[in-house]
């Protein structure tokens, strides 16, 4: 589909069962991601890619535990188990991922002090340049799938929409962490923003 890009979010071993921040049933989306990718000529992969001691790690805050929330200069931050440390096997692309024609692999969360759920904007507002990269290729529509629905997929989708792209999330090609109702909240925010809640059967005709 011309003018459309598929954005596959954080398909990495640390987010799959057995990984450091496993998303329940996250492995189930890999075959679907591969099938979706074949339908698009512009495919972008993202990798969560944190330096050691990253601010989003509970281990960087003595006395804090994973899944607690703290206040950082840029806002509230959920603390996570150490995950997707740069260069580790858990941060690699998922072994079953088969998207040789992906043209951009975008690594995010690289600033040691700032998290970046979104592929477009870090938590402190710094742009990753992705919107400009898409505009330079005359992309007007962004379709998202991957992990996790309620964090990196939702934040990326919301930023895509804010940047003016027609934006769809392929629900059955995503899996969620679902912490404190985060999944329902994410879908509510995405609906308010005008993001299309799609199914893979609508995209793969
Ligand atoms: C993610 C939490 C922390 C995600 C990344 O990919 O959804 N979630 N880092
Ligand atoms: Zn992360």
């Amino acid at each position: 589909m011309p003018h459309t890009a598929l954005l596959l979010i954080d398909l990495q071993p640390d987010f799959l069962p057995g990984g450091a921040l496993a998303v329940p049933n996250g492995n189930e989306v890999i075959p679907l991601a591969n099938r979706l990718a074949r339908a698009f000529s512009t495919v972008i992969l993202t990798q969560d890619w944190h330096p050691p001691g990253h601010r989003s790690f509970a281990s960087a805050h003595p006395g804090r535990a994973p899944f607690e929330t703290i206040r950082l200069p840029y806002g509230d931050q959920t603390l996570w188990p150490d995950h997707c440390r740069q260069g580790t096997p858990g941060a690699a692309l998922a072994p079953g991922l088969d998207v040789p024609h992906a043209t951009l692999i975008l690594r995010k969360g690289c600033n040691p002090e700032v998290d970046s759920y979104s592929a477009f904007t870090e938590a402190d507002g710094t742009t990753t340049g992705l919107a400009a990269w898409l505009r330079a290729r005359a992309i007007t529509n962004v379709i998202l799938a991957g992990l996790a629905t309620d964090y990196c997929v939702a934040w990326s989708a919301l930023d895509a929409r804010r940047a003016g792209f027609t934006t769809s999330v392929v629900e059955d090609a995503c899996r969620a962490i679902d912490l404190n109702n985060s999944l329902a909240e994410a879908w509510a925010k995405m609906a308010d923003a005008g993001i299309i809640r799609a199914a893979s059967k609508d995209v793969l005709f």
Side-chain angles (χ1 to χ4, degrees):
M1 274 172 274
H3 310 300
T4 304
L6 177 68
L7 191 46
L8 295 176
I9 302 291
D10 295 3
L11 296 170
Q12 298 168 268
D14 271 350
F15 295 121
L16 302 181
L21 178 42
V23 178
N25 306 310
N27 55 308
E28 294 173 1
V29 308
I30 305 280
L32 204 43
N34 291 338
R35 282 174 55 206
L36 285 167
R38 278 179 221 122
F40 296 89
S41 53
T42 303
V43 183
I44 297 149
L45 310 176
T46 69
Q47 280 178 291
D48 210 35
W49 197 253
H50 300 309
H54 191 257
R55 266 297 170 243
S56 76
F57 296 170
S59 63
H61 304 271
R64 297 293 182 164
F67 310 110
E68 291 179 8
T69 300
I70 61 160
R71 190 86 196 155
L72 288 181
Y74 55 76
D76 287 342
Q77 174 69 54
T78 301
L79 297 177
W80 304 104
D82 286 26
H83 64 280
C84 295
R85 280 179 299 116
Q86 297 175 355
T88 63
L93 292 170
L97 197 61
D98 181 22
V99 192
H101 62 292
T103 47
L104 176 65
I105 299 176
L106 184 122
R107 290 170 166 175
K108 61 184 180 62
C110 307
N111 181 333
E113 303 299 330
V114 180
D115 209 355
S116 190
Y117 298 147
S118 168
F120 290 85
T121 321
E122 297 179 52
D124 67 352
T126 304
T127 181
T128 66
L130 179 55
W133 189 97
L134 293 166
R135 285 189 200 111
R137 286 157 183 80
I139 299 292
T140 52
N141 294 46
V142 174
I143 298 183
L144 296 98
L147 303 172
T149 324
D150 40 349
Y151 289 93
C152 291
V153 174
W155 287 55
S156 297
L158 288 163
D159 279 346
R161 187 69 206 105
R162 263 180 220 122
F165 298 100
T166 299
T167 305
S168 308
V169 171
V170 186
E171 183 171 15
D172 55 317
C174 299
R175 293 293 182 275
I177 296 174
D178 204 12
L179 206 61
N180 310 316
N181 205 37
S182 56
L183 182 58
E185 283 172 13
W187 280 119
K189 272 192 205 159
M190 290 193 280
D192 281 351
I195 292 166
I196 300 157
R197 186 170 182 166
S200 57
K201 66 170 170 44
D202 306 328
V203 180
L204 297 165
F205 16 61

